Each structure stands twice: as C-alpha cells, then as structure tokens.
Amino acid sequence: WMRLVAHPHIERFVFDEYHMTVLWGQNELDPEYGLAWSLVGHCRRRAVSRGQPKPGVFGFTATASVELDRIVEQDFFPLAGIDKKTAVFRKSQINRPDTDIMFVQCPTAFFEERMEAVARIVSEFLPDRENRLLVFCTWAGRGQRHGVIQLTERIRRAPRYSARPEDVFMYYASLGLGPEQIESGMRSAAIIVTTEALGMGVDMKHIKGVVIVNLPASVENLVQFLGRMRTKNIHDHASTCKRAWILTGPGDQASKQTVADPPPVDFSLL
C-alpha cells in the first residue's frame, strides 16, 4: 500500500469479486477492505490537488445483490470520495444465448433418483477433455461427502460412457488430497464431482456442462455454480453452446427467493 501511495499517478483501481468487501452474510463492511477504499479516496483527493484526473474505480462480481449495491453506496463511496450520482451499476441477465439451462424434475426426494438422473445426463452428454462436465452435489440428507462418493461411483457405471479412473475426479473439503493431486484432477478429468468447495472463484478450462444435483441454499450459490462455465475471456464467447441441468424436486431447500423469480444478482461474468 505504501508503494501505491508513493506512485506519482494511479489511473484506476479494480476490485475483483468485490462482493468480498462485505463480511459474508453480515451486510457490513469488512475492515480490511475499508482500508483499501480509504486508500482509493486518498489517491483521488491527491489527484485533484495536483490537477490530475481522479483514478477510476471498477468492481466486478457475479453475485452483486441489490443489498450489496446499497452497502457500497452507503459505506464505501464516502471513503473513496465517490459521488453516488456518478456511479453506474451494470447488470445482465441469466438468459445468456450461449447457455441452455434445463430444469429436471425428480418426483421423489430419494437421492438414488437424483443419481440416476445424473447418469442419464452423462450418457447423453458424453463428456471428454474438450467438453468437460462439472457436477455439484450439496445434498445434506446423508452428508455431502457420502453424496459425492456415491454419485461418483454411479457416474463411472453410466450407460454408454466408458470412463477410465482418471476421467472422473471427485473433490470435497475433507478429502485430504495434496495441491498437485487437486490441480491434476481439475486440469485433466472429463467429469468433476464436487460440493460448493469448487463453486466460487475456481476457473477451469473447457467446462461445457454443469449439473446441479439439488438447489443450493441461495440464488448467489446457484449463480456461482453456473459461472464455472464462463469462457477464459468474458468477451470471447465460445460458439459451442454450454448446457446446464438443474435437478429439482421434493426436499430441496431453496432460498426465500425462488429460482423462478427474477434474481437481483449480476450475471455479467457468467
């Protein structure tokens, strides 16, 4: 930070995943990010005193709720010396033309039914290293770890899909794999079965399909899961249509906002 302050002129500040500037779930400013926004304000005031253009401030996130926008205006803008009248919040919608989202209805609450539905999806999609499939399982009924293990074994036996051991990689927080094993699995496996542990901020190449075994606890988590299909450059949309399957049925613990409602989040990075 001292090196930043010593710089003669800073052109812009960029906050990536700027929703992290708010303490998760507490709707208040994270003190460390408060210092960062105060530094922005210092540099902007210094630029004015020197007759230089004020540094711009940009924030990017896929989970910008209306409440987060309010907190940014109320707590951050004064620290950074930003007039809220000059601020612009740009948002886009979930109906991306390169993403085909399908809801799969499961009539019962049994996990076995979800596993069979995933096996059918794998047999239809036939993943490979250029068209990879990411499967999110946050099933709490018998524990996420057991759900991931059982689902991985069922995928290996999916009809029409001949999987080598290295083609299907499973990961959950307590699995105990080393960094090299995790990196190898995420880089080379055709199918990755995981919990929300890989749901936020993890970018993997060639993810062309996402399966969400059960509705997550919040719309924000849903957006993050779907966001793993983003291209390597948000301005370079692949011509291949991406596909997502969201399994729903009795027992899903959705948030107070239903997925069918227009979610107040920023989908611009999907």
Side-chain angles (χ1 to χ4, degrees):
W1 287 18
M2 296 304 297
R3 291 174 63 185
L4 278 175
V5 172
H7 198 280
H9 179 61
I10 298 175
E11 187 172 324
R12 67 178 63 89
F13 288 90
V14 179
F15 289 86
D16 189 22
E17 303 288 359
Y18 83 88
H19 62 272
M20 299 300 293
T21 60
V22 175
L23 291 173
W24 190 256
Q26 299 182 32
N27 289 342
E28 60 184 50
L29 175 67
D30 185 316
E32 292 186 6
Y33 280 100
L35 293 175
W37 283 83
S38 297
L39 174 65
V40 172
H42 168 78
C43 293
R44 286 168 62 85
R45 289 189 295 271
R46 185 183 63 180
V48 172
S49 68
R50 294 176 177 178
Q52 299 172 335
K54 290 185 288 187
V57 183
F58 300 86
F60 299 95
T61 180
T63 54
S65 64
V66 174
E67 180 65 13
L68 176 60
D69 292 347
R70 185 191 65 79
I71 295 171
V72 168
E73 289 184 344
Q74 174 182 299
D75 295 340
F76 299 170
F77 284 3
L79 294 175
I82 298 175
D83 183 351
K84 66 179 182 180
K85 295 180 181 179
T86 65
V88 178
F89 292 94
R90 294 188 175 91
K91 301 179 184 297
S92 58
Q93 299 301 319
I94 194 170
N95 55 339
R96 279 281 301 275
D98 61 348
T99 304
D100 184 12
I101 301 177
M102 292 160 283
F103 288 87
V104 179
Q105 297 294 329
C106 298
T108 72
F110 294 114
F111 185 63
E112 288 76 9
E113 189 173 80
R114 307 281 176 123
M115 290 196 295
E116 293 306 313
V118 174
R120 289 192 295 270
I121 291 170
V122 170
S123 299
E124 173 192 346
F125 189 71
L126 296 178
D128 55 41
R129 293 191 178 186
E130 297 296 320
N131 297 279
R132 305 170 72 198
L133 186 67
L134 186 55
V135 182
F136 286 105
C137 178
T138 57
W139 191 270
R142 44 181 92 180
Q144 291 187 11
R145 178 173 67 89
H146 294 293
V148 169
I149 294 172
Q150 288 185 315
L151 188 56
T152 301
E153 291 304 314
R154 182 64 188 90
I155 288 174
R156 294 185 189 278
R157 296 182 283 106
R160 298 180 56 225
Y161 184 68
S162 301
R164 299 170 300 175
E166 64 270 21
D167 287 338
V168 184
F169 174 71
M170 69 176 178
Y171 179 77
Y172 48 86
S174 60
L175 185 57
L177 296 179
E180 292 184 358
Q181 293 173 294
I182 296 174
E183 181 179 353
S184 175
M186 291 195 302
R187 182 178 62 247
S188 59
I191 303 175
I192 299 172
V193 186
T194 185
T195 64
E196 68 268 15
L198 296 183
M200 179 178 291
V202 179
D203 290 325
M204 293 170 279
K205 293 182 178 179
H206 307 304
I207 300 295
K208 301 296 174 59
V210 166
V211 179
I212 300 173
V213 175
N214 55 289
L215 285 177
S218 69
V219 175
E220 285 80 4
N221 282 343
L222 178 63
V223 174
Q224 289 289 347
F225 291 171
L226 295 174
R228 297 313 99 213
M229 286 190 293
R230 59 163 289 194
T231 53
K232 59 184 177 181
N233 186 303
I234 61 174
H235 302 294
D236 179 26
H237 300 304
S239 58
T240 304
C241 182
K242 306 177 187 69
R243 303 176 71 181
W245 295 265
I246 302 174
L247 278 56
T248 63
D252 279 318
Q253 298 299 316
S255 63
K256 293 180 181 178
Q257 274 181 305
T258 64
V259 177
D261 293 334
V265 289
D266 188 348
F267 293 93
S268 59
L269 294 190
L270 286 184

